[in-house]
Amino acid sequence: MQPLVHLRTLYDVQQLLKRFNIFVYVGKRIWDIELMALEVDNLYQAYVIDKDLYLQAKLVLKKEHRYEQKMAVERKKAHGKDK
């Protein structure tokens, strides 16, 4: 298997998972990101991916998760909801 050198986007993480026949689609982007994080954890714990690749993937997923949380808050504010 060819090593991926740089994971920069969520698409890159999806392509990494795809190499192991892991396809994630739950229906909500934030849930997809959370499930991808669990799958990346499992690959690392099974010694299938190295630490560098694991950390790159986790960093991308964390960034995307924060962005989705921020957008959810902004959507609620835009629709006049307090919760």
Side-chain angles (χ1 to χ4, degrees), residues 47-58:
Y47 302 103
V48 177
I49 60 174
D50 66 4
K51 187 174 184 177
D52 183 53
L53 195 55
Y54 170 72
L55 292 175
Q56 287 181 51
K58 291 296 278 189

Side-chain angles (χ1 to χ4, degrees), residues 3 5 10 13 17-19 22 28 32 37 41 45 50-51 53 56 58 60 66 70 72 77:
V5 178
L10 188 60
V13 176
L17 294 174
K18 186 177 172 183
R19 291 175 136 187
I22 300 170
K28 208 171 182 187
D32 290 345
D41 289 343
Q45 290 170 0
D50 66 4
K51 187 174 184 177
L53 195 55
Q56 287 181 51
K58 291 296 278 189
V60 168
R66 278 194 310 258
K70 178 182 170 189
K77 285 181 183 178

Side-chain angles (χ1 to χ4, degrees), residues 4-40:
L4 286 175
V5 178
H6 298 288
L7 298 178
R8 294 187 176 141
T9 66
L10 188 60
Y11 178 77
D12 294 337
V13 176
Q14 288 173 318
Q15 294 308 302
L16 170 67
L17 294 174
K18 186 177 172 183
R19 291 175 136 187
F20 300 100
N21 290 322
I22 300 170
F23 299 88
V24 174
Y25 180 76
V26 179
K28 208 171 182 187
R29 192 166 191 266
I30 196 161
W31 296 343
D32 290 345
I33 293 166
E34 291 169 359
L35 184 54
M36 283 185 232
L38 291 173
E39 292 294 351
V40 168

Side-chain angles (χ1 to χ4, degrees), residues 58-73:
K58 291 296 278 189
L59 187 63
V60 168
L61 292 168
K62 189 172 187 174
K63 176 185 162 217
E64 292 294 328
H65 194 272
R66 278 194 310 258
Y67 175 77
E68 285 301 314
Q69 286 179 321
K70 178 182 170 189
M71 293 308 293
V73 168

